[in-house]
Amino acid sequence: MVVIHFVASIFYTQLSLGSAHIGETTNHRHEMGAEATAIQAVESICGSLSLIACIGMLIKISNQKSANFTAPLLLALFSFILVLSLMVIIGRAGLNNAGFCGFQGFMIEWMYMCIMLWDMLMSYLMYTWIVKRQHPKRMDKILHKNLIAVVVVALVVTIIVAGTDSIAEAYIWCWIDQRNWLARLFGFELFLIIAWFSNCAMLWSVRSSLQSRMKRATFHEKITALLESGKDGSIQTKLIVYLVIFTIVWFFVLLNRLVETLSSDTFFPTALLQSIFVSLQGFLYAFVYSGLVKCVWCRPRHYQKPVKVF
């Protein structure tokens, strides 16, 4: 109830600020104010869903007695998204205070970097587990060090960006100023491009490896794999879907960044799509973790014998 009351109070603040913005004198500012209000409303709703979902998932994973090696990865992911969701919900309310504006922009940049570097780590672990067939226990030994490295590297990049005095008002919240294209390029967009395309490459490699492995397998090997695919297969499926979600969500971020770079202005449709998917990603990851989503294409098709219906 406390969380819901907090979210509702911030959402009311966003609408109040939106009404003030719509009252601008010029038509251009009127349109920008209306668009910003619509985007902020969407982000407040989607961000609230992600915030509540992340809190629930952090409690659930922390209370698990028999956690596998993916537990630290998921705890880190939901922690990153929880902080990002909170900053997103606050939105334009943070513009009224210069000190908080700097803090908001710093945290958004830091969490952006953490999520992108986390995805690179996750895709690499998936590749070594499924394609290279490395045992999860060997990956578990270096997992905590890798997660610490993700947080530290993201923090260093964020400190460098903040040190260039680039964090300022950026449309509907505080982040890297649109006019400082170098800071956005080297502090965000370059990492986004690397993370997104490497993620796609790893997914394609995993898919190809699973399909080729099943084609080469004998009938006995297929039956054995079917009997042993219970827990590990479920974990692999979920991890693959996590990467698919990242690919979908951050595609719209990549698209919006490209459109803004080419047009030198904010384009409402792509900005809205980015806002919907980025602020909703915590809810999507929680939805997958609950087991309600199945990865169809990553399952070996030869496991089920086709049945003819007459």
Side-chain angles (χ1 to χ4, degrees):
M1 290 299 296
V2 175
V3 174
I4 296 175
H5 177 72
F6 173 73
V7 168
S9 62
I10 292 179
F11 182 67
Y12 176 78
T13 304
Q14 305 302 341
L15 293 180
S16 300
L17 288 173
S19 299
H21 277 282
I22 294 177
E24 298 286 348
T25 54
T26 62
N27 291 332
H28 177 69
R29 289 190 176 184
H30 186 281
E31 292 177 0
M32 292 296 291
E35 292 175 356
T37 301
I39 291 178
Q40 183 62 71
V42 169
E43 289 189 340
S44 296
I45 296 172
C46 297
S48 301
L49 291 174
S50 289
L51 180 66
I52 296 172
C54 287
I55 293 174
M57 289 300 101
L58 288 173
I59 295 174
K60 182 176 181 180
I61 297 172
S62 300
N63 292 335
Q64 283 183 343
K65 295 182 179 179
S66 58
N68 52 62
F69 84 100
T70 62
L73 281 170
L74 296 177
L75 284 173
L77 175 64
F78 285 117
S79 298
F80 299 151
I81 299 178
L82 186 147
V83 177
L84 180 62
S85 299
L86 183 59
M87 294 296 108
V88 165
I89 293 171
I90 294 173
R92 287 181 295 168
L95 303 180
N96 296 330
N97 184 282
F100 186 82
C101 178
F103 173 75
Q104 182 187 42
F106 186 92
M107 295 304 297
I108 289 177
E109 169 66 12
W110 190 13
M111 294 304 104
Y112 271 164
M113 290 299 306
C114 284
I115 293 172
M116 289 187 291
L117 293 176
W118 178 93
D119 176 77
M120 293 185 202
L121 174 61
M122 174 68 87
S123 60
Y124 174 74
L125 291 176
M126 283 295 303
Y127 177 80
T128 56
W129 186 14
I130 297 179
V131 179
K132 296 297 183 180
R133 299 189 181 186
Q134 186 172 342
H135 198 278
K137 290 185 178 180
R138 295 184 59 186
M139 296 186 292
D140 191 30
K141 294 180 180 179
I142 61 173
L143 183 58
H144 291 83
K145 294 181 179 179
N146 288 333
L147 285 175
I148 293 173
V150 164
V151 175
V152 171
V153 171
L155 180 61
V156 170
V157 174
T158 305
I159 292 175
I160 294 174
V161 171
T164 60
D165 199 24
S166 302
I167 295 179
E169 180 180 347
Y171 194 41
I172 58 173
W173 53 38
C174 293
W175 186 47
I176 304 176
D177 193 345
Q178 289 179 323
R179 294 167 295 183
N180 198 333
W181 64 272
L182 277 176
R184 284 203 173 190
L185 176 62
F186 292 103
F188 177 75
E189 293 169 354
L190 186 61
F191 288 95
L192 172 60
I193 293 172
I194 294 173
W196 195 83
F197 281 99
S198 64
N199 188 74
C200 291
M202 293 297 181
L203 281 174
W204 181 261
S205 179
V206 167
R207 180 178 185 273
S208 301
S209 176
L210 289 174
Q211 289 184 344
S212 62
R213 193 179 303 171
M214 290 307 301
K215 288 180 180 179
R216 296 193 306 266
T218 62
F219 178 77
H220 179 267
E221 290 173 338
K222 292 177 182 179
I223 296 298
T224 303
L226 175 62
L227 295 175
E228 296 178 351
S229 63
K231 187 175 181 180
D232 285 347
S234 176
I235 295 173
Q236 289 180 358
T237 297
K238 289 182 178 179
L239 293 182
I240 292 173
V241 178
Y242 292 146
L243 298 183
V244 172
I245 290 176
F246 178 90
T247 304
I248 296 173
V249 167
W250 291 82
F251 166 77
F252 294 103
V253 181
L254 191 64
L255 177 64
N256 188 46
R257 296 266 67 82
L258 177 62
V259 171
E260 285 190 4
T261 301
L262 295 177
S263 62
S264 300
D265 197 6
T266 301
F267 185 55
F268 176 71
T270 56
L272 181 62
L273 288 172
Q274 172 184 325
S275 300
I276 292 173
F277 282 94
V278 171
S279 56
L280 200 61
Q281 61 182 321
F283 178 78
L284 296 176
Y285 285 122
F287 192 70
V288 172
Y289 186 82
S290 64
L292 299 177
V293 177
K294 303 294 182 182
C295 182
V296 178
W297 61 267
C298 59
R299 279 186 165 187
R301 299 176 182 177
H302 297 77
Y303 284 170
Q304 294 183 354
K305 187 176 181 179
V307 178
K308 294 182 179 180
V309 179
F310 296 96

